[in-house]
Amino acid sequence: MVMTVLRDEPAVLGAPGPRPRSLVSRPSVADSVFRRITYAGGVATVGILLAVGLFLALRGGQALGVAKWHFLTQAQWQPEGGVFGIRAVLFGTVTIAVIAMVVGFPLAFGTALLLSEVVSPRIGRLLVALVDLMAAVPSIVYGLWGFYFLQKQIVPVAQWLAVTVGQVVPVLAVTDQDGKPVSDPNFYTSTAFIAGLVVGLMVVPTMTSVMREGFSRAPAGEREGAYALGATRWGMIRAVVLPFGKGGVIGGTMLGLGRALGETIAVAMIISPLFAINWQVLKSGTNSVSALIALRFSEASQFGLSALMAAGLALFVVTLVVNFTASSIVARSRSGAQSEG
Amino acid sequence: MTALEERTAAVPATTARPGTTTRPVATGPAAPRRRLRGVTAVELFDVLGATVAAVATATLLFGRLTAMHGAIGWVVVALAAFLGFYALLASLHATGEEVKDKVITALLRTAGVVLFGTLVFIVLFTLFRGVSALHHLNFFVQTMWVAGPQDPLSKGGILHAIAGTLIQIGIALSITVPLGLTTAVFLNEVGGRFARFVRTISDAMTALPSVVAGLFILAAVVQLVFHERNGFAAALAITVMMLPIVIRSADVVLRLVPGNLREASYALGTSRWRTVWHVVLPTARSGLATAVILGTARGLGETSPVLLTSGISTVLNLDPFKGPMTSLPLAVYNFIGSPQPNQVVRGFGTAATLLVLVLVLFGLARRIGGRGPGTMSPRQQQQVQAESTRAAIRIAAYHQQPPAHQQPSALRQPPAPRPSDRPGAQPDHPEEPLR
């Protein structure tokens, strides 16, 4: 509308004036091709994730249709007999992930603070590179270490925990069917505790690097302000670094949790599969969804595979929820830190 | 007190002449400088004393006073005792806040020592246990087809797994690099609401369980397309795992490209894709290489997707579309499933090979990516100089108007040190190259 008025005005005045330049830039052909190609890249990425969910749902649907709600409440896994559910494996997955977090969180939190606040920048850079390197070490290497070294070495610690602390905290006790404490070392191998320790160490590097990034985002002005007011280093960390790094801590923990929930091969190497709820984490026998899939898929029938797909779908949904929560928390904290300048 | 009074006396003078600062006159002996860094002798002896006491306590408790035994338990008890003794010693000559600060700093250092100690130990343990298999050259040039589980280490090897890993990673890279970098460019250079959505999705995909990726390829590719497990399906599964990692790290690198480089390019009338191709991507080249290498390192180590989609074999299979193709991590998993001690040693040897491969790749990534975006090596700088001189000559040939006495200085000092800034692209014909 404005354009019409502008164009008419010179005519009214009786003199042909210059036409106003259009400020809308038309993308060239090459540009619109470029835009379409990159757009297609983005669509493909989203498409892959959607396809993962879609195919698992399609192939797992058959088994889900047979099992119905019992899929969540049944602990046994005999798809050929029609009796199967993820109660036990999901419980095992969560147990292992919780132990991994109990071990991993203090280590990651402490190391991240150490790297960003305590050591000199030069050593810090070196150690950060080491942390990144450790995040790239294949999980099977951690699994080998857990199976051939940690398994033997940790048994005395587990026994001590079960005998002393276990009397007060029932989760740490190890008892036989009659409820009597046992100290036979065979009861203490292939446990959720060992698997959790290994997975915890495996996810610590990822957690550390996210947390450290959050901590180092605390602005220098506030840090020096705290020191100028007479704060000790810990006082400064508590008053400045932790509030600024809160998002990084939560996000890093969630990312670590997501990886711990999905870890497959190290868990499959260590545990001895058990299809029942085992509250005693120091006692042999546990399970996880991913280990179930890795150990059972080769001998599975068509229907058994469908049941495994359904289990995979459940794992997929759980990790997706954890990850979306994590990335939204990290993103929110990132924008907040930026506005502070 | 005198110093204070003098300073207050100096204040009116300052306010009288705005814009100037008066230094307070220093009188009397200066206070001793406060030490800001370094360790005092007392602090050092605190640490030493606490260490000795902790070691002594742990050794006494283990095997003598109580029934506790085992190396890990000893370490745990020693660390706990160290923190206790250190707090006690520090409280002898410091006040509450200071003690808290010292103890927590010691706690942080302990966490670091435990973590780095364990991680380095894991790597060394694998290398150490595998070294006896690596002695034999046949380990790298033979397959397990010629050797049974009970054969000595001088027979058989992991050539099939090395070849399988290289083929699978090659295929995965040929998909991941174009797709991942395109998506990263989309996130940064095109932007918009959909780009933010894609970023969220790819962030969420970074922690996609590897076994789920394997199941997906099993359902979508193996069962629907090939009707058998093969190396190509494994490569696709690895692609699904690598893609989000490459996108994420490339996204971070592209975000670091200075905005004024882009704007300079746009101000010269360059189109969008030319800006990306000639300014953004070359600037971020080293970082992008790092992103790809990091993704490769992760892809190399994936076990369960290959287990599900490719399966185990002991023969050398070079055709990714036919039959099972073992990769290095899968070979490790297979070896250690055997009760034979020689197979276990082979498993560790394979793991050590894989680990060395990952370490080398990672070192390469650090070396390439160590420089920030836009920082060039001397050789690159020479190339850029030569190119911009050529460009300047070309421009001079194109215009041919400027007076002769201005030309040489304009030629020797090209305006921007980048080969990509085509200064000739003018608003009138934005797509027309000068050459």
Side-chain angles (χ1 to χ4, degrees):
Chain A
M1 295 310 260
V2 181
M3 291 285 279
T4 345
V5 174
L6 271 173
R7 202 179 290 157
D8 283 352
E9 265 174 352
V12 172
L13 290 169
R19 277 194 308 167
R21 191 161 65 100
S22 164
L23 291 176
V24 183
S25 70
R26 240 179 320 107
S28 65
V29 179
D31 258 5
S32 57
V33 168
F34 162 76
R35 192 186 279 259
R36 280 204 195 119
I37 289 176
T38 57
Y39 200 87
V43 170
T45 306
V46 175
I48 288 174
L49 193 77
L50 288 183
V52 171
L54 194 71
F55 270 98
L56 290 184
L58 278 180
R59 292 285 286 114
Q62 188 193 359
L64 279 178
V66 173
K68 303 220 170 56
W69 284 111
H70 296 298
F71 188 68
L72 292 177
T73 54
Q74 175 61 247
Q76 287 302 309
W77 191 268
Q78 282 142 3
E80 282 72 20
V83 183
F84 61 98
I86 53 167
R87 185 158 160 240
V89 285
L90 205 58
F91 175 82
T93 306
V94 173
T95 317
I96 292 172
V98 166
I99 294 168
M101 286 301 108
V102 168
V103 177
F105 180 80
L107 276 180
F109 185 74
T111 312
L113 273 182
L114 180 79
L115 293 184
S116 83
E117 306 303 321
V118 179
V119 297
S120 70
R122 225 179 70 222
I123 299 174
R125 269 197 299 277
L126 192 78
L127 293 180
V128 167
L130 196 60
V131 167
D132 289 346
L133 171 63
M134 288 305 165
V137 168
S139 57
I140 192 145
V141 171
Y142 287 94
L144 280 180
W145 179 78
F147 187 74
Y148 286 97
F149 176 82
L150 190 67
Q151 182 105 291
K152 285 190 204 105
Q153 299 293 322
I154 204 75
V155 166
V157 178
Q159 281 172 323
W160 181 83
L161 274 177
V163 171
T164 54
V165 188
Q167 289 174 341
V168 193
V169 188
V171 176
L172 294 177
V174 176
T175 53
D176 55 11
Q177 291 95 326
D178 310 328
K180 277 189 293 190
V182 286
S183 61
D184 182 2
N186 288 333
F187 277 84
Y188 291 89
T189 55
S190 306
T191 59
F193 174 59
I194 299 173
L197 273 180
V198 171
V199 174
L201 282 172
M202 198 183 303
V203 298
V204 161
T206 318
M207 291 166 70
T208 306
S209 81
V210 176
M211 286 185 190
R212 190 199 60 84
E213 223 178 288
F215 292 147
S216 60
R217 227 176 271 135
E222 270 85 338
R223 285 166 195 264
E224 282 162 20
Y227 280 133
L229 288 171
T232 57
R233 175 153 50 200
W234 170 241
M236 188 279 288
I237 290 174
R238 219 177 32 193
V240 178
V241 177
L242 292 188
F244 270 97
K246 202 166 57 187
V249 172
I250 299 171
T253 311
M254 299 287 256
L255 278 185
L257 183 63
R259 283 200 61 194
L261 288 169
E263 178 47 43
T264 310
I265 216 73
V267 175
M269 281 166 73
I270 290 167
I271 63 166
S272 62
L274 174 78
F275 290 94
I277 303 280
N278 177 11
W279 278 101
Q280 302 183 342
V281 295
L282 295 175
K283 190 174 154 189
S284 187
T286 182
N287 221 326
S288 86
V289 178
S290 45
L292 168 82
I293 296 170
L295 296 173
R296 285 294 184 92
F297 91 98
S298 59
E299 67 232 33
S301 61
Q302 272 301 316
F303 183 73
L305 206 54
S306 168
L308 289 178
M309 295 274 177
L313 182 68
L315 180 64
F316 177 65
V317 170
V318 170
T319 50
L320 214 58
V321 167
V322 171
N323 287 328
F324 269 125
T325 321
S327 56
S328 70
I329 289 173
V330 175
R332 202 178 304 152
S333 76
R334 188 180 294 154
S335 56
Q338 260 170 5
S339 68
E340 296 280 338
Chain B
M1 282 307 278
T2 15
L4 250 178
E5 275 160 18
E6 284 210 8
R7 213 170 288 158
T8 42
V11 169
T14 321
T15 44
R17 287 183 292 140
T20 56
T21 314
T22 311
R23 277 178 72 185
V25 184
T27 52
R33 264 187 92 84
R34 203 154 65 94
R35 285 173 66 111
L36 291 176
R37 49 177 62 206
V39 185
T40 61
V42 177
E43 285 168 353
L44 193 67
F45 279 113
D46 279 355
V47 174
L48 282 179
T51 310
V52 171
V55 169
T57 311
T59 314
L60 267 183
L61 284 178
F62 275 73
R64 286 180 210 275
L65 296 184
T66 64
M68 294 190 277
H69 62 283
I72 293 181
W74 187 89
V75 172
V76 171
V77 170
L79 284 174
F82 169 79
L83 288 172
F85 284 122
Y86 185 72
L88 186 71
L89 286 175
S91 66
L92 291 180
H93 54 82
T95 53
E97 275 300 308
E98 253 180 282
V99 173
K100 213 196 275 174
D101 178 50
K102 279 177 195 289
V103 170
I104 285 175
T105 306
L107 207 60
L108 297 185
R109 284 188 197 278
T110 313
V113 167
V114 169
L115 179 63
F116 288 115
T118 315
L119 294 183
V120 170
F121 179 67
I122 289 174
V123 170
L124 292 182
F125 177 78
T126 310
L127 296 179
F128 179 75
R129 288 280 299 259
V131 83
S132 54
L134 302 181
H135 278 321
H136 306 278
L137 183 67
N138 60 291
F139 192 65
F140 299 105
V141 296
Q142 288 182 0
T143 67
M144 282 311 289
W145 183 245
V146 297
Q150 291 179 320
D151 277 328
L153 290 174
S154 55
K155 212 171 161 199
I158 53 165
L159 180 67
H160 57 299
I162 296 176
T165 285
L166 292 183
I167 292 172
Q168 286 167 15
I169 277 291
I171 297 173
L173 275 178
S174 65
I175 304 171
T176 312
V177 172
L179 187 55
L181 295 191
T182 310
T183 309
V185 166
F186 173 67
L187 297 183
N188 271 285
E189 304 298 322
V190 178
R193 194 185 299 166
F194 183 63
R196 277 199 295 280
F197 176 66
V198 173
R199 184 174 285 144
T200 316
I201 290 285
S202 72
D203 274 3
M205 260 176 87
T206 45
L208 180 75
S210 54
V211 74
V212 170
L215 274 183
F216 161 61
I217 295 296
L218 187 67
V221 178
V222 174
Q223 293 193 334
L224 287 185
V225 183
F226 293 118
H227 305 293
E228 64 158 0
R229 294 199 222 134
N230 60 26
F232 186 71
L236 289 182
I238 294 175
T239 306
V240 174
M241 295 309 295
M242 276 168 66
L243 191 62
I245 299 168
V246 172
I247 292 176
R248 203 186 163 128
S249 16
D251 180 30
V252 172
V253 172
L254 289 180
R255 213 180 293 162
L256 289 177
V257 172
N260 52 12
L261 280 184
R262 267 185 213 113
E263 282 161 17
S265 170
Y266 285 136
L268 288 166
T270 320
S271 62
R272 192 183 278 255
W273 82 270
R274 271 185 185 281
T275 305
V276 169
W277 189 252
H278 289 300
V279 176
V280 175
L281 291 183
T283 309
R285 190 188 289 148
S286 65
L288 294 178
T290 310
V292 171
I293 293 175
L294 286 185
T296 313
R298 274 295 284 280
L300 280 178
E302 291 296 350
T303 317
S304 43
V306 186
L307 175 71
L308 262 64
T309 53
S310 166
I312 296 162
S313 81
T314 54
V315 289
L316 183 64
N317 176 10
L318 295 178
D319 183 0
F321 293 99
K322 208 161 166 57
M325 182 192 267
T326 305
S327 71
L328 282 172
L330 190 57
V332 177
Y333 184 68
N334 190 29
F335 278 134
I336 56 137
S338 156
Q340 300 296 334
N342 270 351
Q343 290 290 83
V344 174
V345 173
R346 283 194 183 102
F348 271 99
T350 315
T353 313
L354 178 65
L355 199 54
V356 169
L357 202 60
V358 171
L359 294 189
V360 166
L361 273 180
F362 197 84
L364 204 66
R366 293 294 304 179
R367 204 163 158 66
I368 297 177
R371 288 189 290 273
T375 329
M376 285 175 290
S377 68
R379 205 166 131 250
Q380 280 173 317
Q381 273 175 349
Q382 273 176 11
Q383 284 175 355
V384 167
Q385 283 286 330
E387 175 126 0
S388 55
T389 314
R390 278 199 298 278
I393 293 169
R394 217 166 53 226
I395 295 163
Y398 181 74
H399 289 289
Q400 284 191 347
Q401 278 106 338
H405 65 272
Q406 274 183 11
Q407 211 171 330
S409 65
L411 281 188
R412 298 231 176 86
Q413 296 291 322
R418 304 218 54 83
S420 35
D421 292 351
R422 294 265 149 70
Q426 283 162 357
D428 297 351
H429 23 81
E431 282 307 309
E432 187 185 310
L434 274 174
R435 43 181 104 195

